[in-house]
Amino acid sequence: MMHVLGVETSCDETAAAVLTGERRVLSSVVLSQDEIHAPYGGVVPELASRQHLTSISYIVGESLRRANLTLDRIDAYAVTQGPGLIGSLLVGLSFAKALAYYFDKPLIGIDHLEAHMEAAFLENPGLPLPAVALVVSGGHTSLFFLKKRLHYRLLGRTRDDAAGEALDKIAKFLGLGYPGGPVIEKMGLSGDPEKFSFALPKMKDSSLDFSFSGLKTAALRLIGETRMSASHPHLADFLAGFEGAVVRALVDNLDRAAEKFKPASLILCGGVARNKRLRDRFDGLARGSGLAGFVPSPALCTDNAAMVAALAVEKMRTKKKTGLSLDLDAYPRFRLTAEY
Ligand code: KG4
Ligand code: ZN
């Protein structure tokens, strides 16, 4: 039986996973650095890469232990190449490269956004295509059209902040903790999202791009005007309203993309896809449009290595092994532009 070991260190999670050639997940280990970055209200790149260096060997070892395997049973290595924090990416990439070199096995470079989308296919192998996918995380907010497997066309992306980044920044400003998305979700649960009004920016053209900086500025202005704080009696209302506006902006664009491209399925993935308000609105949209809606289970939404190894298996199966080489290099910036 074939085994693939995946490694993911693009941001602040050190992750490793072992999958079979049939894409059965034998182990998936994720070590979050949340506690390290929490005092700063956001990821500190230098601290992230140092922590990856400290953890990577243990996390890879743990993924093998849980899969009940040793390194000599691994047939291929998969690693996130980018986009992400360059120092963090290099830790995972160098580690996987060294293993592939030593054991003389293939090394498959994986794009992080493509891996997030793959999480939906890992749990739903029969996902009907074509699909429109929304990748929404701390670093990315992008819409893709998937005509067939491993084929992506960029429909729109954020022109400024990512949705998760906007949530993280407002939580940081109010001193609520990091990561901001889950904190805002929890603290806003009892709130009335209609109490404060958040107008959404309108794109002047018919583009499917996103923009969150205007919403963030409006939230900051409201914080000033209402003297909003962590102890304000209407904090829950404010957070529910802000989260609701972010969700509305995401779902509205997805709705327009679905209208325009008439897919068979809708996919929602990335860290922010853990959000209940977003998941509910997404389900409502899919149902209302008569489409099949797919959201990975929460552990597969945030960064993990199972999605990395899964994508590598699919690429090997279809022989689309882009970047299969020890010359692989990390890339910090978004690469899935136009058609891919
Ligand atoms: O995919 P991910 O783990 O890392 C990136 O590729 O960026 O996503 C992390 C992002 C953070 O911005 C975090 O605040 C957000 O996902 N997030 C959430 C929730 N859980 C994580 N946002 C809203 N609601 C959540 N429950
Ligand atoms: Zn991610």
Side-chain angles (χ1 to χ4, degrees), residues 211-229:
S211 169
F212 291 97
S213 71
L215 197 55
K216 192 185 63 191
T217 309
L220 290 174
R221 195 175 330 110
L222 211 52
I223 289 174
E225 283 166 11
T226 58
R227 299 178 184 232
M228 189 52 63
S229 69

Side-chain angles (χ1 to χ4, degrees), residues 13 112 116 137-140 164-165 167-168 179-182 185 270-272 274-275 301-303:
E13 264 94 26
H112 188 61
H116 270 305
S137 71
H140 312 279
E165 191 179 358
L167 293 166
D168 292 343
E185 170 162 51
V272 183
R274 290 179 78 121
N275 184 273
C301 284
T302 28
D303 291 347

Side-chain angles (χ1 to χ4, degrees), residues 287-322:
R287 255 197 322 275
S289 333
L291 301 173
F294 298 91
V295 193
S297 49
L300 282 174
C301 284
T302 28
D303 291 347
N304 66 87
M307 63 188 190
V308 174
L311 182 54
V313 173
E314 183 64 14
K315 287 194 168 196
M316 285 190 286
R317 195 182 67 78
T318 55
K319 311 248 180 315
K320 193 177 174 182
K321 293 178 276 191
T322 51

Side-chain angles (χ1 to χ4, degrees), residues 42 46 65 75 78 132-133 179 183 195 197 202 209 214-215 236 263 289 308 328 330:
E46 184 60 24
R65 261 188 298 280
D75 304 289
V132 167
V183 174
K195 171 94 185 157
S197 92
K202 281 269 168 287
D209 280 350
L215 197 55
S289 333
V308 174
L328 286 191

Side-chain angles (χ1 to χ4, degrees), residues 103-123:
F103 288 97
D104 194 19
K105 300 290 181 200
L107 175 68
I108 297 134
I110 295 296
D111 182 274
H112 188 61
L113 277 85
E114 217 182 323
H116 270 305
M117 290 186 263
E118 192 64 22
F121 291 92
L122 178 56
E123 290 182 319

